[in-house]
Amino acid sequence: MHNKTLHHIGVGAGFLGLILWYYAGHQLGILDWVAQQVPERYAGGGLMLGIMLLMTPGFFIWKLYNRWLEAKLSVRGRYYEDEYYASLKKDDKDTDDKQS
């Protein structure tokens, strides 16, 4: 099978993992617990906060999984966050050089 096809299947499996992560958190009552910690009139905001807290580690695992999958299948690409942080480091270095 072609690497591109395997990559798409792997990303689909990872996305299914994210769905299962959300479902598991919901079944464990994490969302309900966070929503109960805020006043009733802010229940929607509490639910949104619960979703953010629940999904943050899931998306971190998703990122690590995708990078592992791409390395395993030798898929080449551009990571926008790497370019962003590289430009920040370059800007910091340029600023330090000008101050010297």
Side-chain angles (χ1 to χ4, degrees):
M1 209 179 267
H2 193 267
N3 273 358
K4 191 173 183 180
T5 304
L6 288 174
H7 181 254
H8 289 314
I9 292 169
V11 170
F15 189 70
L16 179 62
L18 275 177
I19 293 169
L20 293 174
W21 181 275
Y22 175 83
Y23 182 73
H26 186 353
Q27 290 300 311
L28 290 172
I30 294 171
L31 300 178
D32 295 330
W33 179 79
V34 173
Q36 291 171 357
Q37 303 308 309
V38 298
E40 189 173 323
R41 64 182 177 176
Y42 297 116
L47 179 62
M48 183 60 67
L49 180 63
I51 292 170
M52 289 187 299
L53 291 173
L54 172 66
M55 294 309 292
T56 297
F59 280 115
F60 180 70
I61 294 168
W62 162 264
K63 179 187 106 165
L64 295 177
Y65 168 75
N66 275 331
R67 292 212 174 180
W68 171 82
L69 182 66
E70 290 168 358
K72 195 76 167 164
L73 296 175
S74 300
V75 174
R76 302 279 181 236
R78 236 169 58 183
Y79 299 110
Y80 293 111
E81 65 268 18
D82 290 346
E83 290 178 15
Y84 173 77
Y85 290 117
S87 69
L88 284 181
K89 288 179 185 177
K90 182 181 178 217
D91 290 344
D92 288 344
K93 184 180 177 191
D94 292 342
T95 304
D96 290 342
D97 290 342
K98 289 179 184 178
Q99 290 178 355
S100 297

